Structures are given as C-alpha cells and as structure tokens.
Amino acid sequence: MNLLATTSVVAVSSYALLSAIYRSMQTLNALRTQIPSPTDDASETGPLPSVDVIVPCFNEDPRTLSACLESIASQDYEGQVRVYVVDDGSENRRYLCPVQDAYTDDPRFNFMWLGKNVGKRKAQIAALRRSSGDLVLNVDSDSTIAVDVVTKLVRKMQNPAVGAVMGQLTASNRSGTWLTRLIDMEYWLACNEERLAEARFGAVLCCCGPCAMYRRSALDLVLHEYETQYFRGKPSDFGEDRHLTILMLAAGFRTEYVPDAIAATVVPDRLVPYLRQQLRWARSTFRDTALALPLLPRLDFYITLDIVGQNLLPLLLGVSILTALAQIALTSELPWPTALIIASMTMVRCSLAAFRARQLRFLAFALHKPISMFLLLPVKVYALCTLSNSDWLSRKSANMPDSGEGQASTPRQSARLDATGHSGIAPSMGETATRAHAFDVDGT
C-alpha cells in the first residue's frame, strides 16, 4: 500500500471513529431526553404569562405572510397574545397592505413599517422596544405554527431557569421538489438528533428563527450585546438565532427544545438558494462556536463532544475525499475502503432515522450525502475563509402577486398544520377585511 492510499485509509478511519462515537452518544442522549407530558407542568397557578409574537418580514409574498399571520391568530393560548409585524423596508409594500387590512379590527395585531431595510436583527429589536410581554416568540414571516405552539412553549418556559426554547421545524413545501424532500428530512434529523440530545443538558446551541421563544427578563440582560455584535470590526448582519441562543447560555439560562411544538417553514427548492443559506449558516456557526468555547467547562461533556463533532467531522470527511480523489487521479486505483466506509455509515444513520421516525422515506436521505460531500463541504471551506464577508448573501427580491396588480384585498388563508407539521393552506374567500394598529417607524 503506497503512502497516498495509507493516508486515505487513516483519514477515513479517523472520520469513521469520531462519527461512530459522536452519533452513538447523540442518539443515546436523544433517546434519554425526557419529553414532559401535557400534565407535567400543570401545577402552575396564577395568571398565564403574556406573549409578544414578533414577525419581521422583508419582500415576503403576501400569500405566505397571510398564512403566517393566520396561524398566529388561530393560537389556542388562553393568556394574552400580542403580535408585532415589522416590515423591514419591503419593496413590495403596497402588496402587503391588504394583509394588514385583514387584521385592522383585531386588537392583538400591531404593524410597524420601517423606513428602510435594516436587517432582521434590528427589525426584531424595534418590535422588542415597543412591546412588553413576559415572553417573546420569534416567528419568521415564511413560517406557520400549529395552533398549540404558544401553549406548549409557554409550558416549558414555566421553569424560570429556561431562557429560550424552540419547537420542531418541518418544510411546509416538502412535496415541492426532490431537494425540499431532502431538506425536510435534514430538519427532522437536526431537531430530533442534535437538538433533542442537547436539550437533555439544557444547552440547545441554536434556537431556530421560525419558532423560538425567549424570556423577556433574559432578553433584557443580553439585548445590548445582541444589538451590537461585531466580527473583526464589522457589524454582524446574519446568524441572529445562534448568536442570541449562545448569549442566553452565557447569561446562565437553559435553552430547551419542544419536539411536539410544530412549525412549518418554506425551504429552498433550488440548489443555489440552498447553498446561499448554508453559507450564511456556516459562517454563523464558525463565528459563534468561538463565543461558546468559554462556556464548555460548566456544561456537560457531551456539549463539548457535540461542538467537536460538528466542526471536526466535516474536516475529516473533506480530507478523506481529497485523498481519495488524489488516489484516483495519480494511481488510477479506486479507494474502495473510503467508499465502503462512507457508504456503510450513511446507510446505518439513514436506517436508524427511518426506524426512529417510523418512516421509510428516511432511507432516501442517503441521496443527501453526495450533496454534503461535493457541495456543502466546499461551501463550508469558503465560509471559513471568508468569515468577515457578507457576500453571496443577497436578500431576496420583492415577491409580487401573480396577477391583479394593486389588489384591493388578499384572501385570508387557513394555515393549520397536520400531525406531521405540514400546512394545508387553502384560501378562504369572502372574509371581511379588518383593521390593525400600524406604526410608521424610521429604520435608523
């Protein structure tokens, strides 16, 4: 065996060993995580905490935003709920106005119009400074939440040690393309392997934006750091979810995951938007991993293993692939050990996911492995080499209705989720338009 072949075998063996240890620990901790029953926290007495729901939107499709707000309006929570919809300088604002009109008579809804586009973080902060609820729920404008999400997240927040909690994410457009089907499975794995295992130790490392609730008193402690995040002297304009979660952990709060609080979000249906999203997330992960390192001594050892696994496994996989390709190019020999080890580990993971989810479709998640190896790995390398940049992260262009320019009204839509978290959005025609409270806020 020549030096190149030996290097290839050592690299893939190291990858296999670390992956086996990490994934085994992850699965065991996920299975051991205690999921409370609806009656576990029933002993709470007194008034229910008030909840402010913040929905930042920029160039959102009016139909998508309407579905999002309908799902919030349909919540079964018995406490007080107020909703703050923040338009972040959208170019299609005149098409969004009918969506506001549908909620004009609903006193729970408040609309804020920023004078210019300032980014999701500052849009959230603008709403935080106008609101005063005990708890804050962030919902992305392209997401819908099941009717019991607020109730279930509030139940978890009854523990005063919890500063943030997230629900389970699914792809609302799962049936759209082969890519959206893979992303939906990727979300299930991220939530029910990674997040569920982290939740056993109260240290979920990223409470995702489509459905994340925070304690107001905890937010007040970290709001200045959140607002003024810099990286290498430049203001940070992405990675809000992970950064805010790490700040919660740094402030001494637990961060949790509630798997039966279902939120469905629109995911990219084409490769280029998907890779842009992954680039943004990779940069955020690398940046905030450094912020999380000082916290590790006071967290469980598994969280250290989790961070090592998330960051070192792609590196070892990349080295394995590079040495395998070099072996093919220079010696014309096929690197069978590398191929067999990667293939077998992929099928073991997919089979275990299919068993846990009771869904055979997870066997098809093996098709995501080539994307991970040959597209996502280069994106992560590029992200690591360009941490200070915000290029390749262009905001999406304005979404206009397909027809009916300047429409006087927009149909309200039903956005209830089925048991798997996928929405059956159907227009409900002829509903009376309503009036909502609106603020005109300067974006600066």
Side-chain angles (χ1 to χ4, degrees):
M1 182 180 291
N2 57 39
L3 179 61
L4 190 57
T6 302
T7 304
S8 178
V9 170
V10 169
V12 76
S13 299
S14 300
Y15 166 76
L17 179 61
L18 177 59
S19 181
I21 294 172
Y22 173 50
R23 296 299 181 190
S24 298
M25 292 293 294
Q26 187 179 74
T27 301
L28 287 174
N29 283 313
L31 292 173
R32 291 172 179 172
T33 301
Q34 296 295 318
I35 306 301
S37 67
T39 58
D40 282 351
D41 300 307
S43 59
E44 179 78 5
T45 58
L48 290 170
S50 56
V51 178
D52 291 333
V53 184
I54 297 178
V55 186
C57 68
F58 175 70
N59 288 346
E60 191 59 80
D61 186 308
R63 294 160 296 188
T64 303
L65 179 60
S66 180
C68 171
L69 300 187
E70 176 66 17
S71 72
I72 296 171
S74 303
Q75 290 299 296
D76 62 6
Y77 183 59
E78 296 180 359
Q80 184 182 55
V81 175
R82 290 184 294 265
V83 185
Y84 294 83
V85 185
V86 188
D87 182 270
D88 187 19
S90 295
E91 299 166 4
N92 63 339
R93 183 169 289 178
R94 66 188 178 118
Y95 294 99
L96 297 176
C97 287
V99 180
Q100 172 191 342
D101 293 341
Y103 294 92
T104 318
D105 286 340
D106 192 330
R108 298 173 298 175
F109 280 79
N110 304 273
F111 286 79
M112 303 169 62
W113 307 90
L114 303 187
K116 63 180 181 181
N117 177 241
V118 294
K120 176 180 175 180
R121 187 179 310 218
K122 290 185 178 179
Q124 289 174 334
I125 292 171
L128 281 171
R129 288 178 172 155
R130 285 190 176 270
S131 60
S132 59
D134 301 314
L135 304 173
V136 175
L137 175 63
N138 286 337
V139 177
D140 285 349
S141 59
D142 60 357
S143 304
T144 53
I145 58 177
V147 296
D148 56 359
V149 161
V150 172
T151 298
K152 288 179 176 177
L153 295 184
V154 168
R155 185 178 297 129
K156 177 64 73 172
M157 296 292 285
Q158 288 179 348
N159 180 353
V162 176
V165 60
M166 66 168 284
Q168 180 171 182
L169 305 184
T170 66
S172 59
N173 55 336
R174 181 180 82 182
S175 60
T177 66
W178 63 270
L179 181 59
T180 59
R181 290 180 175 89
L182 289 178
I183 294 174
D184 182 71
M185 290 185 276
E186 183 182 17
Y187 279 16
W188 189 93
L189 291 166
C191 288
N192 294 289
E193 287 186 350
E194 180 183 322
R195 303 300 196 277
L196 191 57
E198 293 169 347
R200 185 179 180 217
F201 308 102
V204 171
L205 295 176
C206 181
C207 291
C208 300
C211 181
M213 180 174 284
Y214 298 88
R215 189 176 303 280
R216 167 84 56 175
S217 57
L219 278 175
D220 290 341
L221 294 175
V222 303
L223 190 59
H224 177 71
E225 292 179 79
Y226 178 58
E227 183 177 11
T228 59
Q229 182 189 9
Y230 282 80
F231 186 80
R232 294 178 180 172
K234 296 180 180 179
S236 183
D237 53 3
F238 58 88
E240 300 88 359
D241 308 330
R242 182 174 293 272
H243 184 64
L244 187 52
T245 307
I246 297 298
L247 289 177
M248 287 288 166
L249 289 169
F253 291 94
R254 294 175 61 89
T255 54
E256 298 280 3
Y257 166 59
V258 179
D260 59 347
I262 308 295
T265 188
V266 178
V267 301
D269 57 3
R270 293 176 294 116
L271 268 177
V272 171
Y274 175 62
L275 294 178
R276 285 176 175 163
Q277 179 195 67
Q278 294 299 308
L279 174 62
R280 185 175 68 249
W281 289 359
R283 283 180 176 151
S284 170
T285 299
F286 288 136
R287 288 184 180 189
D288 285 298
T289 294
L291 185 65
L293 292 180
L295 306 178
L296 296 181
R298 62 180 176 85
L299 299 175
D300 189 89
F301 171 76
Y302 171 76
I303 304 301
T304 300
L305 176 63
D306 190 45
I307 289 179
V308 170
Q310 289 185 44
N311 289 276
L312 189 55
L313 279 176
L315 174 62
L316 292 174
L317 180 59
V319 172
S320 302
I321 294 171
L322 287 176
T323 54
L325 293 176
Q327 185 178 352
I328 294 173
L330 298 177
T331 68
S332 299
E333 295 179 3
L334 293 177
W336 289 111
T338 298
L340 291 175
I341 289 175
I342 292 177
S344 60
M345 296 197 70
T346 299
M347 289 312 302
V348 167
R349 188 185 183 200
C350 293
S351 300
L352 183 58
F355 174 76
R356 289 189 58 214
R358 303 294 191 271
Q359 297 179 43
L360 287 176
R361 68 186 178 103
F362 279 89
L363 295 176
F365 190 69
L367 299 175
H368 189 270
K369 198 63 179 182
I371 298 175
S372 176
M373 292 191 300
F374 299 112
L375 292 177
L376 296 186
L377 274 178
V379 164
K380 290 181 179 180
V381 172
Y382 180 72
L384 186 59
C385 296
T386 58
L387 284 179
S388 299
N389 296 350
S390 296
D391 58 322
W392 219 27
L393 303 177
S394 55
R395 304 293 294 275
K396 61 183 177 181
S397 58
N399 292 299
M400 309 298 182
D402 295 333
S403 60
E405 183 177 355
Q407 294 169 334
S409 62
T410 296
R412 294 182 69 182
Q413 299 171 312
S414 171
R416 293 180 181 271
L417 306 184
D418 63 21
T420 65
H422 298 90
S423 58
I425 300 174
S428 176
M429 306 300 292
E431 295 194 44
T432 305
T434 53
R435 207 184 118 79
H437 305 291
F439 301 103
D440 187 13
V441 181
D442 188 281
T444 61

